[in-house]
Amino acid sequence: MKYTRVNIPANKHIALVAHDGKKSELVAWCKAHKTQLCKHSLSATGTTGNLIERDTGLEVQKLLSGPMGGDQQIGAQIAEQKIDMLIFFWDPLSSQPHDPDVKALLRLAAVWNIPVACNEASADMLLTSKFMDIELPRMQPDYPDYLATRLP
C-alpha cells in the first residue's frame, strides 16, 4: 500500500459521539471547551448532538442516533474524508447493542489516520495540541492508487 501526505485543515470538522452513560460527560467537556470548539465545524450523532447544542449553544450538525445508523453516517463521512477528528466518549463497562457499528467507526478512524479521543483526558490532549488551529500533516493510504491496481 502506498501512502500520500495530506493535511488536516486548520478549521477542523470534529465528530462528537457519546454512549448513553457518557453523554453528560461529553456535554460538560463541550461546555468547558466551547471557546475552542466554536472555531470548528461540529457533527454528532442525534441525541448527543441535541444535548450539546441545547446545553452549550454550539452549532452542531446532527445525524441519526448511533443505534439507528448515526455511527455509520459518521464512519461514511470519515471514509469520504469529511471528518478530521473524532471525539468519542464510549463506555467500556456497558454492553452496547450496536457494538459492531462502534467497532467499525473506530476502525475507519484508524484506517483513515484521523485523531481519535475516547475519553476526557485524550480529548483534552487533542484540543490543546499545537495542531488544533493549524494544518496537521499526516500520511494517508492512497486508496485511489490501490483501487486502480485492483480494477481491470
Side-chain angles (χ1 to χ4, degrees), residues 61-132:
Q61 176 194 14
K62 292 168 291 302
L63 305 170
L64 294 173
S65 162
M68 299 302 292
D71 296 328
Q72 292 183 349
Q73 285 179 303
I74 289 177
Q77 288 185 4
I78 291 170
E80 295 168 347
Q81 301 172 61
K82 294 178 181 175
I83 298 289
D84 303 308
M85 181 186 316
L86 174 62
I87 307 292
F88 186 176
F89 282 21
W90 63 281
D91 189 348
L93 301 178
S94 293
S95 175
Q96 301 298 326
H98 63 294
D99 193 54
D101 298 337
V102 171
K103 287 180 179 167
L105 175 59
L106 293 171
R107 184 183 61 76
L108 284 168
V111 165
W112 287 97
N113 196 23
I114 67 165
V116 178
C118 293
N119 57 43
E120 185 177 348
S122 57
D124 285 345
M125 292 286 286
L126 285 181
L127 209 61
T128 59
S129 165
K130 70 178 185 176
F131 291 108
M132 196 58 212

Side-chain angles (χ1 to χ4, degrees), residues 1-148:
M1 172 79 63
K2 286 178 37 180
Y3 289 83
T4 304
R5 181 168 295 283
V6 298
N7 288 325
I8 292 177
N11 181 10
K12 293 169 180 53
H13 189 164
I14 304 169
L16 301 164
V17 181
H19 285 148
D20 288 345
K22 298 290 184 172
K23 287 187 191 318
S24 62
E25 290 178 36
L26 183 57
V27 170
W29 182 84
C30 289
K31 281 183 186 177
H33 298 287
K34 181 178 176 177
T35 303
Q36 182 68 8
L37 290 171
C38 72
K39 300 175 188 176
H40 303 279
S41 300
L42 306 175
S43 290
T45 49
T47 307
T48 301
N50 281 320
L51 291 170
I52 291 168
E53 200 167 70
R54 182 192 75 195
D55 294 352
T56 68
L58 289 165
E59 185 177 329
V60 180
Q61 176 194 14
K62 292 168 291 302
L63 305 170
L64 294 173
S65 162
M68 299 302 292
D71 296 328
Q72 292 183 349
Q73 285 179 303
I74 289 177
Q77 288 185 4
I78 291 170
E80 295 168 347
Q81 301 172 61
K82 294 178 181 175
I83 298 289
D84 303 308
M85 181 186 316
L86 174 62
I87 307 292
F88 186 176
F89 282 21
W90 63 281
D91 189 348
L93 301 178
S94 293
S95 175
Q96 301 298 326
H98 63 294
D99 193 54
D101 298 337
V102 171
K103 287 180 179 167
L105 175 59
L106 293 171
R107 184 183 61 76
L108 284 168
V111 165
W112 287 97
N113 196 23
I114 67 165
V116 178
C118 293
N119 57 43
E120 185 177 348
S122 57
D124 285 345
M125 292 286 286
L126 285 181
L127 209 61
T128 59
S129 165
K130 70 178 185 176
F131 291 108
M132 196 58 212
D133 294 317
I134 63 173
E135 288 186 346
L136 169 64
R138 66 186 174 101
M139 297 303 290
Q140 173 182 297
D142 188 344
Y143 289 112
D145 186 58
Y146 171 80
L147 289 174

